Structure formats: C-alpha cells, structure tokens
Amino acid sequence: MEEYLQALRKQLKAFSPEEQEAFIEEISSHIEESEKDPKTGKNIEQRRRKLMRELGSPKDMGRGLKAVYRPDRLIDYLLIAIPYAYYPLLNSLYINLMPQYSWADVRLDILIHLPLVAIGIWRRSAPLALFWISIIVSQLLYITTQVYWYYGIQTALWAVLLLGLLGLAGYILWRNRNDLLTLVFGALPLSMCIIGNLISVVRPTGHTFYGFLNQSLLIIYLSISDFNFFLILATMALFFLPTNRRMRWLALLLYGLMIGFGREYLIEFQTRSTMTPIAHWVYDLLIILPLLIVSLGWWLEQSNKRRLELATA
C-alpha cells in the first residue's frame, strides 16, 4: 500500500502540498479501514486485491481527483473573469463601430468569445467550456428568434452553430453526469436561457396587480442591478476557487439568482410599461427555478453520499 500511495503522490504534483497531504491522508485512512474490514475478504490479501480493484491505478485515481478538484482552477477562473470583465469595453467598441460597420454587433461578439469554448475543451475543463457555451447560446437565441429574420439568410448559419453548441453542451454534461455539481452548473444557465427566450416569444399576459413576492423581487433587483455584473464575477470566484463543495453549491445558487435577477422581465416590471404586462408568475419563475434546480442537485449529491457511506460501513 505504501508503494500505491507514493505512486499516487506523484500524480498529485499539480496540487498544493496541503491538498496533496489531505488527499493522501483521506485515501490512506480508507485503505486502513478496508484492510481491517472482514466483509471485504477472508484475509488481508483478498481485502487488498478487492480494494485495488475499487481504487483503480494511481494514474486513474489522480486523473479522477484532477477532474473533480482541478488543481489549476485559478486559470479556469481567469479565463472567465478577464474576458467577462472586458464586456463593457467591447460593448462601447461595438456602439462606435456599428454606424460604419453593420456586422459589429452581437455576431462579432460571438466570434470573439467562441475560441474560449475551444480553450475549455482543450483544457478539459467542463465548467469553463459550459460557461462560455451558455453565454454564446443566449446570444444565438437572440439572433435566431428575431421576427422576420432580421439577419437574413445568415440566421440559418447561426442556427446551425446554435444546434452544434447545444449538442456539444449535451455531450459535456453526459460525460460529467456523475458529477452533479458540474452537471447543474452547465444545465442551470442553459435551461434558464432557453425558458427565458420561449417566454419572450410566447409573452404570457397577466393582471396588473403586483403581489408581495413580485414587489420583493423588484426591490432586490433595484438594490443589486448596478452591481449584477460584478456579483456574477464574485459568484464565479466562489465556484471555481474553493475545493469545499458546500461552498461551491452555495456559489452556484447565488449564480442562478444573479441570472434570474438580470433578466429583462424585471426591467419591464420596473418600468411598468403601458404595453400589456407579462404574467407575474414569470418573475417568480426566474427566481424559483434556480432555487429548485440547485436544491435538487445538492439533495441528490447528499443522498448519494449517504448511500455510499452506508454501503461501505
């Protein structure tokens, strides 16, 4: 077993010394408990063989730990934070270019950020790739759902790209189906984006009475609207940088709420346009939906964890 732990330590060089020690200590403790457990075999040799089959090779174990805890997660975060922080400057650039160049709009923004999806795939970082896929998908939905094909025949080409990115997101989510945190991180913005655009097309109407929940959402929105951009960066930092999964689940919940509070429906609610108002359940849905998705994901992970603990007890 000592040889196994030494080989595993070599596979964990990308982690900090403190993280290496924590992993080695946890796995070493698991090995000791399994060697003493009579349920795993009649003698210590049988127990060790069974344990090795469960653990896999040091290389496989190291690859699995890297996939879940990503030792270079700071780089992943910077590949989100830096391009995202430049959005206000890019928007100003597009405004200045559009009078002379009609293509300097959302289409140029998609082409600029599309390579970040490729970088995420190259780095084998599912969260990085999924983040930028969700951003670009929201822009492509805006293009492809424009009435009367505002972008002309190009709309068909952008629709192909949209389907390709949705297929890629589905493939990444399927590959990471055993990691509920990554699964929810990818599914949350995509589902809210798709549902939000469907609501934009259907535009369900409602009454003019604003309930307590609607008014509360508006108050919160007005309080954070000026800081929503920076709050998303903060929630991404809480998701990418810590190794504590509870902290990352909390960050994911806050991220979902930031998406909900940033939707245009709350802006329409604020202005109280004289046009036919959207049904008020839409406002509630944009906040309740992320709460439900994240809560369900966290509950399933905790249930699986307890089931595994009972099985190995």
Side-chain angles (χ1 to χ4, degrees), residues 218-283:
L218 178 58
I219 292 172
I220 296 174
Y221 170 74
L222 292 174
S223 302
I224 68 171
S225 58
D226 293 336
F227 309 100
N228 188 272
F229 180 85
F230 301 101
L231 288 173
I232 288 181
L233 287 180
T235 57
M236 286 297 93
L238 287 174
F239 180 82
F240 275 88
L241 301 182
T243 56
N244 185 287
R245 290 182 73 85
R246 290 188 177 182
M247 177 67 73
R248 298 181 72 197
W249 275 111
L250 175 60
L252 190 54
L253 177 62
L254 295 174
Y255 174 52
L257 293 176
M258 291 305 101
I259 297 175
F261 283 126
R263 295 298 298 186
E264 62 187 59
Y265 312 109
L266 288 174
I267 299 175
E268 293 181 14
F269 186 13
Q270 177 188 358
T271 57
R272 302 199 179 192
S273 171
T274 55
M275 299 171 61
T276 304
I278 296 178
H280 298 151
W281 59 262
V282 171
Y283 310 118

Side-chain angles (χ1 to χ4, degrees), residues 17-244:
E18 294 78 10
E19 290 173 323
Q20 291 182 37
E21 290 303 322
F23 289 134
I24 294 297
E25 183 179 348
E26 182 178 350
I27 295 170
S28 177
S29 176
H30 177 66
I31 290 174
E32 290 178 5
E33 291 177 2
S34 298
E35 287 181 343
K36 296 175 182 178
D37 188 357
K39 296 179 182 178
T40 60
K42 296 180 180 179
N43 54 57
I44 192 169
E45 290 302 323
Q46 286 185 353
R47 297 168 191 168
R48 284 181 175 176
R49 284 196 296 270
K50 182 179 180 181
L51 183 60
M52 287 300 98
R53 288 195 298 270
E54 293 176 352
L55 293 177
S57 68
K59 186 176 181 179
D60 291 337
M61 174 67 76
R63 188 184 297 117
L65 290 172
K66 289 176 184 177
V68 174
Y69 295 101
R70 294 203 60 82
D72 49 0
R73 52 191 175 274
L74 175 60
I75 297 176
D76 288 345
Y77 173 67
L78 292 178
L79 286 170
I80 286 177
I82 294 175
Y84 196 75
Y86 272 96
Y87 257 114
L89 294 177
L90 287 175
N91 288 335
S92 298
L93 175 65
Y94 302 149
I95 292 173
N96 292 329
L97 289 176
M98 280 185 66
Q100 188 173 359
Y101 305 100
S102 61
W103 46 263
D105 53 15
V106 65
R107 294 168 292 179
L108 178 59
D109 193 71
I110 290 172
L111 295 177
I112 288 175
H113 292 97
L114 197 58
L116 291 166
V117 176
I119 292 173
I121 296 171
W122 173 69
R123 287 180 52 76
R124 297 182 180 178
S125 172
L128 175 60
L130 289 169
F131 177 86
W132 287 111
I133 286 175
S134 66
I135 294 292
I136 296 174
V137 162
S138 66
Q139 296 170 318
L140 288 171
L141 283 171
Y142 171 78
I143 291 176
T144 54
T145 56
Q146 288 290 307
V147 182
Y148 306 123
W149 277 38
Y150 176 80
Y151 293 96
I153 193 64
Q154 289 186 24
T155 305
L157 299 176
W158 294 115
V160 171
L161 178 58
L162 171 62
L163 293 175
L165 287 176
L166 288 174
L168 177 60
Y171 173 74
I172 294 173
L173 292 173
W174 175 254
R175 287 287 302 271
N176 293 271
R177 61 188 181 278
N178 294 323
D179 183 5
L180 283 167
L181 192 62
T182 299
L183 195 64
V184 174
F185 177 82
L188 178 63
L190 286 173
S191 60
M192 292 188 68
C193 175
I194 293 171
I195 291 173
N197 278 274
L198 288 174
I199 292 173
S200 294
V201 175
V202 178
R203 295 187 67 84
T205 58
H207 303 291
T208 56
F209 175 74
Y210 297 101
F212 174 76
L213 180 57
N214 303 130
Q215 294 179 12
S216 300
L217 293 179
L218 178 58
I219 292 172
I220 296 174
Y221 170 74
L222 292 174
S223 302
I224 68 171
S225 58
D226 293 336
F227 309 100
N228 188 272
F229 180 85
F230 301 101
L231 288 173
I232 288 181
L233 287 180
T235 57
M236 286 297 93
L238 287 174
F239 180 82
F240 275 88
L241 301 182
T243 56
N244 185 287

